[in-house]
Amino acid sequence: MNKQDITSIKQLLSTKKKIVIVPHKNPDGDAIGSTLGLYHYLLKGLHQVQVIVPNDYPHFLKWIPGNDSILKHDSQTKACNALINDADIIFTLDFNAFHRTGNMETVLTESSALKIMIDHHQAPDDYAKYTFSDVSMSSTCEMVYHFIDMLGDADLVDSAIATCLYVGIMTDTGSFRFRSTTSKTHAIVAKLIEKGANNNEIHNNVYDTNSYERLQLLGCALTNLRVIPESKAAYITLSQDELQKYDYKKGDTEGVVNYGLSLNGIVLAAIFIEDRKEGIIKISLRSKGNFSVNEMSRAHFEGGGHTNAAGGKSYLSIEKTVEKFISILPTYNKALNNE
Ligand code: 5GP
Ligand code: MN
C-alpha cells in the first residue's frame, strides 16, 4: 500500500459509505479484534458499518467492545448477503483468499463492492483494489493501527479501538513472545495502553475464563502427546469422542498445539482434531526458527498460514492422517534437524 493508495482511500472515505468488514471463518482474537477495531474507527467517519463473520467464535472473545453488533453469516445468511450486495466498500481482514471465509466465498466473489485487504498471511490473492499485505507483521491488529496512522488519524484511537487492537496483537503473538513481535509491536502496544486498553483486564478476559472441563480436555490432549525425536517433532490428537467427553466448546482447543512446541528440542508441533460434522480432521502446525509449516501445510494438508503457524485439513480418518504426517516427516528431517 503506497502513499497514492492512502490518498485515494482517504478521498474514498471522505464521504459517507456503506461498509462491510469480514474476517476469516472460525475467527480468532486477531480476526475479531481487527474487524471491531476498524469498525469503531470507521464509525467516527459517520459511515454505515457492519462486521459480518462467517460463523461463531469462542466465548472468551464475546466481551470485546462492539461484539453485540456483529452478524453471523451462517445463521443470518439473507440479511448478511443483502448487506454485502449493497456495500460500497468491503474490508477483508486477517485472510487473503476468499475460500478462507467458507460459505461466504461466492457472495464475496460476486460482489461489486470495492475491496480493501489488510492481512499478514503469505501469498495474497489479487482480488482487492487496495492490498495492504505484510507478512512481517505480528498481527492484522497491528496493521489496522498502521492503517489508521497512515490515514493521519492516530489521534482518533480511543479506548474501544485500543482494546480491540490489543486483543489481536496479544493473541497472535502468544502474549508478545513469538518471533513476529518487534520493538514496533511493543511501541504500538504502549500507545494502545495509553489510549485506554487495560492490559491486565484484557489478559484475564481472554485467558482466565477456563471451564473445569476445558482443563480436563487439556489433560487428555497432553496424555495423547507423542514425540518423534529423530524429526524433532511432536503431535497431539483429539478425537470427536474425547471432545464430547469433556463437553467441548468452540475455542477449547485454542493454543493446545503450543504444548508440543514447548518440549525441549522440539522444532515442529502438530495437533489433529476430529470434526465429524464437517467430515474433516482440522490440523494446526507450529514451528520454531526457519522451518516453514506454511509450506508443509500447502504441500500436504490443503492449508497455509505463516512460517511458524499454519492450519490445514485432511479428509482421512484421524489414524490415517497421523500415519500420513509420520510418513512425510523423513523428507523434512534435514531441515528439522538444522534448526
Ligand atoms: P490455526 O492453526 O490457529 O487454525 O491457524 C494458524 C494460522 O494459519 C492462522 O494464521 C490461520 O489464519 C492460518 N490458517 C489456518 N487454517 C488455514 C487454512 O486452511 N488455510 C490457510 N491458507 N491458512 C490457514
Ligand atoms: Mn492474524
Side-chain angles (χ1 to χ4, degrees):
M1 183 158 285
N2 56 35
K3 267 210 170 110
Q4 181 57 46
D5 289 347
I6 288 293
T7 309
S8 306
I9 292 171
K10 229 177 145 52
Q11 176 69 26
L12 189 69
L13 294 176
S14 66
T15 54
K16 187 175 171 180
K17 292 287 183 312
K18 284 177 266 182
I19 301 174
V20 166
I21 310 173
V22 182
H24 56 79
K25 191 179 173 190
N26 298 323
D28 56 7
D30 192 30
I32 298 296
S34 62
T35 51
L36 286 178
L38 183 65
Y39 164 82
H40 290 297
Y41 164 69
L42 292 170
L43 278 185
K44 290 176 185 286
L46 303 174
H47 302 292
Q48 184 188 311
V49 194
Q50 181 64 54
V51 174
I52 299 178
V53 298
N55 62 342
D56 203 8
Y57 46 95
H59 68 92
F60 57 77
L61 300 174
K62 291 194 172 166
W63 59 272
I64 302 175
N67 172 70
D68 293 344
S69 71
I70 292 179
L71 290 178
K72 294 186 197 93
H73 187 265
D74 65 348
S75 56
Q76 295 153 292
T77 311
K78 248 187 163 169
C80 290
N81 285 348
L83 283 160
I84 291 168
N85 288 325
D86 198 33
D88 301 310
I89 304 172
I90 299 178
F91 279 89
T92 69
L93 264 56
D94 203 34
F95 72 91
N96 59 24
F98 283 145
H99 69 85
R100 296 276 293 121
T101 63
N103 289 337
M104 290 181 72
E105 179 175 4
T106 310
V107 68
L108 287 174
T109 308
E110 289 173 358
S111 126
S112 59
L114 183 149
K115 318 279 186 331
I116 302 178
M117 179 204 297
I118 304 179
D119 179 60
H120 66 138
H121 293 91
Q122 298 186 352
D125 277 359
D126 189 23
Y127 60 74
K129 167 99 175 162
Y130 302 109
T131 297
F132 182 22
S133 163
D134 187 343
V135 298
S136 75
M137 285 283 161
S138 71
S139 54
T140 301
C141 279
E142 183 172 341
M143 297 179 76
V144 168
Y145 184 89
H146 285 300
F147 181 68
I148 295 172
D149 193 25
M150 286 189 289
L151 290 170
D153 285 336
D155 285 348
L156 292 185
V157 174
D158 58 14
S159 71
I161 299 174
T163 301
C164 295
L165 299 185
Y166 188 99
V167 170
I169 299 177
M170 179 185 79
T171 54
D172 258 30
T173 59
S175 297
F176 319 108
R177 75 182 194 275
F178 297 155
R179 276 210 307 175
S180 56
T181 314
T182 62
S183 61
K184 228 176 188 167
T185 314
H186 280 284
I188 289 172
V189 165
K191 286 200 187 99
L192 297 179
I193 293 173
E194 276 165 22
K195 299 280 188 183
N198 185 329
N199 51 326
N200 177 246
E201 212 168 83
I202 293 171
H203 195 281
N204 288 344
N205 286 345
V206 172
Y207 293 118
D208 296 342
T209 56
N210 280 323
S211 63
Y212 179 79
E213 289 75 16
R214 200 230 161 192
L215 291 188
Q216 297 293 302
L217 179 66
L218 177 60
C220 174
L222 295 179
T223 303
N224 294 347
L225 175 66
R226 298 286 178 274
V227 177
I228 304 162
E230 62 275 21
S231 300
K232 295 192 172 178
Y235 68 89
I236 289 170
T237 54
L238 281 172
S239 69
Q240 187 83 53
D241 289 342
E242 287 167 330
L243 294 171
Q244 264 154 12
K245 183 172 171 198
Y246 297 109
D247 194 24
Y248 168 79
K249 302 260 182 326
K250 214 172 197 33
D252 280 353
T253 56
E254 201 92 5
V256 175
V257 63
N258 290 313
Y259 283 92
L261 209 57
S262 74
L263 280 165
N264 188 16
I266 291 300
V267 171
L268 168 67
I271 188 166
F272 303 97
I273 302 170
E274 187 179 21
D275 185 338
R276 258 183 232 151
K277 197 167 133 229
E278 299 252 343
I280 59 166
I281 307 300
K282 173 79 185 85
I283 303 166
S284 286
L285 299 169
R286 299 291 185 269
S287 68
K288 290 212 164 136
N290 295 319
F291 186 79
S292 173
V293 285
N294 170 54
E295 280 169 26
M296 183 184 224
S297 189
R298 276 175 197 274
H300 299 286
F301 298 115
E302 298 184 31
H306 314 279
T307 302
N308 296 130
K313 55 181 179 286
S314 153
Y315 295 95
L316 304 168
S317 68
I318 196 157
E319 292 82 10
K320 292 272 178 222
T321 304
V322 169
E323 267 176 39
K324 175 175 170 179
F325 175 70
I326 293 173
S327 75
I328 63 172
L329 278 181
T331 62
Y332 293 101
N333 271 356
K334 208 168 153 212
L336 288 164
N337 281 286
N338 274 340
E339 287 301 331

